[in-house]
Amino acid sequence: MEACQKGDAEAVSHLLRTGRGCSASQQDPHYRNGSSPLIEAARTGSLETCRILLEHGAPWNAIDKDGKCAGNYASDLGHQSLVNYLVDVAVTAELLLGASIRTEMSTTYTSKEATKPIVDIGTGSRCGGPVEHEPCTKSDFLSRDVCYVDGDKLLDGDGDAVMMEWERPLMRAHASVIMGGSGTSATGKVSVMNVGFGMGIIDSILQEEQFSPALHVIVEAHPGVYAQMIKDGWDKKPNVRIVYGKCRFSSFCVLFTNMPRYYYGCVSLLACFYFLSKIF
Ligand SMILES: C[S@@+](CC[C@H](N)C(=O)[O-])C[C@H]1O[C@@H](n2cnc3c(N)ncnc32)[C@H](O)[C@@H]1O
């Protein structure tokens, strides 16, 4: 951590190569507000140190207790070339991770369909071939079942992931960025609209005390997801208004969505771009 705080790329590289109990992804919640090596290096603006850490497996989106990641600090401190570099890393990572998860899900669920289906995937058929060759929209998404599995994923009618629990840190980072850290503006508490409830991860985070918007509108188009929202009591929350239907533009302080290709897959790419564009 000390070498990262100095932006000493050579020392960081040496320590990571020789072991000595150092890991690029170490993060102690009690140390410097839960900071990470990448955050420390990003504060110094040392692109080389960040590059070495990322090459050794440092997560680009690790956040500290203020919900800030390396990109936030690089941006706050005006390290623009580092910001640009982190944007590239983040987008690439999201693309690769999304593609690999989609491929894995496709293999898993397709092979099990012949024996015992893990989920009720309704009728409809999936496309053959690599995921990259699949059409980027699922026009029948809304008319087919979705399925919440084990509390950590939401699958569509093809067994493709709509949302997964691993995206929580990314959602937390989004929340922090779009709500400006505290959820207040010069005129008081902000209002926020999230388009697409999914697993309600971003919405649960937005409901936390540090944000707690004056008005929190959630637009959701899928009947199965809407039913889950009602089951979970989202319609009873005092500052929440649910709009059951397809998204229409409205005038809010903050609009959040991560339903890119959504009808269509699991990558939070639009959210990623949105997040990055808000930071940078
Ligand atoms: C990737 S999930 C969102 C996950 C969410 N951000 C979370 O934190 O759990 C996308 C959601 O958008 C919904 N959706 C897709 N198209 C929509 C539309 N046109 N209007 C409203 N909701 C839509 C889907 O039913 C799904 O619930």
Side-chain angles (χ1 to χ4, degrees):
M1 277 297 223
E2 220 172 284
C4 293
Q5 277 159 24
K6 291 181 185 154
D8 187 341
E10 212 172 303
V12 169
S13 172
H14 178 72
L15 287 165
L16 289 172
R17 270 189 288 110
T18 54
R20 300 203 187 173
C22 295
S23 154
S25 55
Q26 76 188 58
Q27 201 171 0
D28 177 353
H30 304 297
Y31 180 79
R32 287 214 3 146
N33 202 29
S35 187
S36 73
L38 189 65
I39 288 176
E40 293 304 316
R43 284 182 201 264
T44 71
S46 170
L47 197 151
E48 183 58 9
T49 311
C50 290
R51 191 186 61 73
I52 291 164
L53 287 166
L54 288 159
E55 274 179 12
H56 282 82
W60 69 268
N61 54 354
I63 54 173
D64 64 14
K65 286 186 182 164
D66 289 329
K68 293 172 94 174
C69 65
N72 293 116
Y73 286 104
S75 173
D76 290 352
L77 296 167
H79 304 309
Q80 195 53 45
S81 50
L82 177 56
V83 166
N84 296 342
Y85 172 67
L86 290 170
V87 170
D88 282 349
V89 169
V91 171
T92 307
E94 286 297 309
L95 282 168
L96 291 175
L97 187 55
S100 100
I101 286 173
R102 281 168 57 82
T103 305
E104 194 183 314
M105 297 289 297
S106 159
T107 311
T108 305
Y109 289 106
T110 304
S111 62
K112 286 181 178 165
E113 274 166 18
T115 52
K116 183 175 173 243
I118 287 179
V119 292
D120 175 10
I121 59 168
T123 52
S125 58
R126 65 174 303 115
C127 303
V131 289
E132 293 79 4
H133 297 167
E134 289 184 13
C136 66
T137 58
K138 289 190 180 183
S139 54
D140 60 351
F141 168 71
L142 292 177
S143 60
R144 297 182 61 200
D145 289 346
V146 288
C147 187
Y148 290 89
V149 182
D150 299 336
D152 72 355
K153 41 182 137 10
L154 171 63
L155 306 179
D156 71 9
D158 290 320
D160 284 333
V162 175
M163 189 67 188
M164 302 185 96
E165 181 59 33
W166 65 261
E167 297 181 80
R168 185 173 291 275
L170 190 58
M171 293 299 111
R172 183 165 290 285
H174 293 322
S176 175
V177 171
I178 64 179
M179 299 300 277
S182 65
T184 52
S185 70
T187 53
K189 287 272 179 193
V190 304
S191 55
V192 58
M193 177 167 75
N194 173 36
V195 181
F197 179 79
M199 291 175 64
I201 296 177
I202 185 81
D203 294 298
S204 305
I205 295 169
L206 290 171
Q207 282 291 305
E208 288 174 6
E209 208 181 328
Q210 76 264 31
F211 300 125
S212 180
L215 174 63
H216 179 172
V217 175
I218 308 170
V219 184
E220 177 52 54
H222 196 287
V225 176
Y226 174 69
Q228 186 69 33
M229 295 173 77
I230 301 302
K231 192 171 160 212
D232 292 345
W234 280 86
D235 56 329
K236 306 277 185 322
K237 296 187 191 289
N239 60 344
V240 170
R241 301 285 176 277
I242 299 174
V243 180
Y244 175 35
K246 282 194 193 173
C247 174
R248 301 233 172 140
F249 183 76
S250 189
S251 171
F252 283 81
C253 303
V254 177
L255 167 65
F256 177 85
T257 180
N258 78 317
M259 43 164 224
R261 295 188 357 145
Y262 168 54
Y263 288 113
Y264 337 96
C266 67
V267 186
S268 303
L269 196 53
L270 183 60
C272 182
F273 284 130
Y274 181 72
F275 163 57
L276 296 167
S277 71
K278 289 296 286 188
I279 299 184
F280 310 120

